[in-house]
């Protein structure tokens, strides 16, 4: 480690799925990217001391705290990384920014537009003091997605006409699949919509460079009651009901969301987000049709971007399969020789590298909390539209005076 590179102390809250992905990324980023600061895995925070100690050892953290407010007063924490369910994001992020700590907050930014607005306000005030905040829409950092954005911005597929995006999973298709916090509105805000629909909203806006301005959506909950897992947390179990000898819990979020959207540049969008697409595990499919060509992507084949050039001779025209592992492709040059593909975890490494680079150069990292707020407004409009059966315009509330 170069002693001239300053440390960036990380305090992370939550140590399960995203906690593990972020830990790995913080550890790896400085080995593959030249960073202006060296991330130091200072403190891991969780509620259960026994599990926390084991997680800290396994994931490589130097110390632990069982109360996240301790991160705000520790000198070895410069950045608070929030890897907890959505109901905790606003409180932790706002307090951390007010304490002068940079923040990385997992998506969706919050559980409501009101919370997201407060977070964006706090981020704007903090940025004026050089304290940065970013929301973790990680899939933007998949090289093929970043290349898609680059090709669109260079005009390679012309004016965008159609945006087709799906985020398909199947882990809830079994009605006996147990309750989790992801199925409770007060914890998660919404279901498939906010968890995975938020990603395709962000990705399509990122690739096209256009915002969604109005939506028409349908939400559905196919299975409204599920068994409690034996390992369910006390919080989940306290809400459970006993039916026919089994503890069950109410699902209070959507299982699936479908929606239409119109983009600011006139493109028409068709979206799906579901946890009931049997056989589809983590399929993020995006196809964009423009006046000069098309792009297609599927995360289940994440190193590939398909490009159709409508100006090719018709005899040889067709979708070409670009293996996005060349040194000139976004992020790819930091890794392996061409053809030696990347995986799910690399997006998180890119996310940390981009964030540390932005902090080091006093630039606003993207996506910002304002971007997260805008996505939250799209999600809220889809919910509103589904309830009312009408189109719903995207309205981003003004900042507090
Ligand atoms: N960027 C992505 O692609 C991506 C992928 C999955 C999840 N996420 C987001 O990451 C966040 C966490 O999701 P996850 O899949 O890691 O969930 P998880 O259930 O695997 O982990 C949640 C962690 O938060 C802890 N926790 C819960 N409430 C807490 C509290 N009040 N105080 C302290 N710790 C608390 C739990 O003990 C656990 O360690 C969510 O916002 C989710 O939407 C993002």
């Amino acid at each position: 480690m170069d002693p001239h590179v300053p440390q960036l102390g990380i305090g992370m809250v939550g140590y399960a799925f995203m906690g593990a992905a972020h830990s790995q990324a913080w550890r790896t980023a400085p080995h593959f990217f030249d960073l202006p600061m060296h991330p130091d895995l200072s403190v891991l925070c969780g509620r259960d001391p026994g599990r926390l100690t084991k997680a800290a050892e396994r994931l490589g953290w130097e110390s632990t705290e069982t109360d996240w407010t301790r991160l705000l007063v520790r000198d070895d924490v410069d950045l608070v990384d929030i890897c907890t369910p959505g109901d905790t994001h606003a409180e932790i992020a706002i307090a951390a920014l007010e304490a002068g700590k940079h923040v990385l907050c997992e998506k969706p930014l919050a559980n409501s537009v009101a919370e997201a607005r407060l977070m964006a306000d706090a981020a704007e005030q903090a940025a004026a003091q050089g304290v940065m905040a970013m929301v973790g829409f990680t899939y933007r950092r998949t090289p093929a997605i970043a290349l898609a954005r680059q090709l669109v911005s260079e005009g390679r597929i012309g004016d965008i006409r159609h945006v087709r995006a799906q985020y398909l999973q199947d882990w809830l298709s079994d009605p006996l699949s147990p309750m989790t916090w992801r199925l409770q509105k007060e914890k998660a805000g919404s279901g498939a919509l906010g968890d995975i629909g938020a990603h395709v909203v962000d990705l399509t806006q990122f690739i096209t460079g256009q915002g969604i301005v109005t939506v028409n959506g349908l939400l559905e909950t196919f299975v409204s009651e599920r068994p409690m897992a034996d390992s369910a947390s006390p919080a989940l179990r306290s809400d459970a009901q006993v039916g026919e000898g089994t503890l069950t819990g109410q699902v209070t979020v959507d299982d699936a969301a479908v929606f239409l959207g119109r983009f600011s540049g006139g493109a028409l969008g068709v979206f799906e987000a579901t946890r009931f697409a049997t056989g589809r595990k983590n399929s993020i499919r995006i196809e964009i049709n423009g006046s000069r060509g098309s792009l297609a992507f599927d995360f289940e084949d994440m190193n590939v971007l398909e490009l159709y050039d409508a100006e090719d001779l018709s005899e040889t025209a067709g979708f070409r399969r670009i293996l996005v592992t060349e040194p000139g492709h976004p992020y790819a040059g930091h890794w392996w020789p061409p053809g030696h593909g990347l995986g799910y975890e690399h997006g998180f490494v890119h996310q940390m590298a981009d964030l540390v680079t932005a902090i080091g150069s006093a630039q606003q990292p993207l996506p910002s909390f304002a971007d997260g707020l805008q996505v939250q407004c799209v999600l809220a409009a889809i919910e509103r539209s589904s309830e009312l059966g009408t189109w719903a315009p995207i309205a981003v509330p003004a900042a507090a005076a």
Side-chain angles (χ1 to χ4, degrees):
M1 193 169 66
D2 183 343
H4 303 294
V5 176
Q7 299 279 304
L8 182 75
I10 314 296
M12 190 174 79
V13 198
Y15 50 78
F17 179 21
M18 280 307 102
H22 285 215
S23 300
Q24 188 281 138
W26 285 122
R27 281 195 315 267
T28 306
H31 299 293
F32 287 84
F33 291 79
D34 272 335
L35 301 180
M37 283 173 285
H38 191 280
D40 184 21
L41 281 71
S42 298
V43 198
L44 181 63
C45 177
R47 295 163 299 178
D48 178 309
R51 288 166 56 193
L52 175 63
T53 305
K54 281 197 191 123
E57 279 167 18
R58 185 167 43 85
L59 300 173
W61 291 83
E62 289 157 24
S63 66
T64 58
E65 293 282 2
T66 51
D67 176 356
W68 63 263
T69 61
R70 289 279 311 142
L71 304 182
L72 312 186
V73 295
R74 283 184 59 149
D75 291 339
D76 59 351
V77 173
D78 302 303
L79 183 149
V80 174
D81 183 4
I82 304 170
C83 292
T84 47
D87 62 324
T88 63
H89 290 185
E91 189 185 10
I92 302 175
I94 293 169
L97 290 168
E98 286 176 354
K101 311 290 186 189
H102 306 291
V103 171
L104 170 59
C105 181
E106 262 304 345
K107 49 51 63 179
L109 185 60
N111 277 3
S112 69
V113 169
E115 283 176 348
R117 178 69 268 176
L118 292 173
M119 293 170 81
D121 290 349
E124 198 180 325
Q125 281 160 22
Q129 312 299 320
V131 175
M132 299 301 173
M134 185 171 103
V135 59
F137 283 113
T138 323
Y139 290 112
R140 284 183 175 205
R141 269 99 186 176
T142 304
I145 293 283
L147 178 63
R149 175 185 166 89
Q150 187 184 312
L151 294 175
V152 169
S153 70
E154 290 167 1
R156 289 291 298 274
I157 63 166
D159 297 332
I160 308 300
R161 311 285 198 220
H162 289 287
V163 174
R164 224 161 280 118
Q166 301 170 320
Y167 198 147
L168 311 176
Q169 298 182 338
D170 71 354
W171 58 279
L172 281 184
S173 55
D174 178 353
L176 295 179
S177 178
M179 281 296 292
T180 107
W181 66 263
R182 283 187 155 79
L183 307 181
Q184 289 187 300
K185 191 170 177 60
E186 68 272 24
K187 292 267 172 218
S190 65
L193 177 65
D195 188 19
I196 53 180
H199 277 298
V200 281
V201 168
D202 178 67
L203 285 174
T204 54
Q205 295 189 127
F206 173 70
I207 293 172
T208 61
Q210 298 181 25
I212 298 172
V213 291
T214 183
V215 289
N216 195 329
L218 271 182
L219 304 185
E220 185 59 59
T221 304
F222 300 115
V223 177
S224 57
E225 195 171 316
R226 287 182 178 273
M228 306 302 288
D230 290 341
S231 59
S233 68
L236 266 181
R237 293 185 82 82
S238 65
D239 292 338
Q241 291 149 16
V242 184
E244 311 233 340
T246 348
L247 276 180
T248 59
Q250 285 298 315
V251 175
T252 48
V253 298
D254 56 284
D255 286 330
V258 297
F259 53 100
L260 303 176
R262 187 182 286 278
F263 285 76
S264 52
L268 302 181
V270 182
F271 297 83
E272 270 185 280
T274 178
R275 295 157 164 170
F276 277 71
T278 35
R280 301 293 172 208
K281 303 301 171 184
N282 201 48
S283 184
I284 304 172
R285 298 167 167 194
I286 297 177
E287 183 165 302
I288 317 263
N289 308 130
S291 54
R292 291 183 53 196
S294 294
L295 291 168
F297 170 81
D298 185 343
F299 192 78
E300 289 187 348
D301 192 10
M302 62 169 283
N303 288 288
V304 170
L305 181 68
E306 288 189 86
L307 170 67
Y308 179 83
D309 187 338
E311 291 173 6
D312 281 349
L313 291 174
S314 60
E315 291 81 358
T316 49
F319 274 94
R320 79 177 72 136
R321 189 175 183 276
I322 305 169
L323 194 54
V324 191
T325 57
E326 294 297 317
H329 286 142
Y331 303 108
H334 291 269
W335 296 99
W336 318 118
H340 297 66
L342 302 189
Y344 177 66
E345 72 276 23
H346 292 86
F348 295 92
V349 180
H350 304 159
Q351 176 170 277
M352 303 328 183
D354 287 347
L355 175 57
V356 175
T357 302
I359 290 172
S361 53
Q363 300 289 313
Q364 170 63 55
L366 297 175
S368 66
F369 276 18
D371 296 324
L373 165 64
Q374 189 271 348
V375 171
Q376 206 76 43
C377 294
V378 176
L379 303 179
I382 294 162
E383 285 187 302
R384 207 163 56 242
S385 160
S386 176
E387 276 161 27
L388 301 175
T390 59
W391 283 88
I394 313 307
V396 179

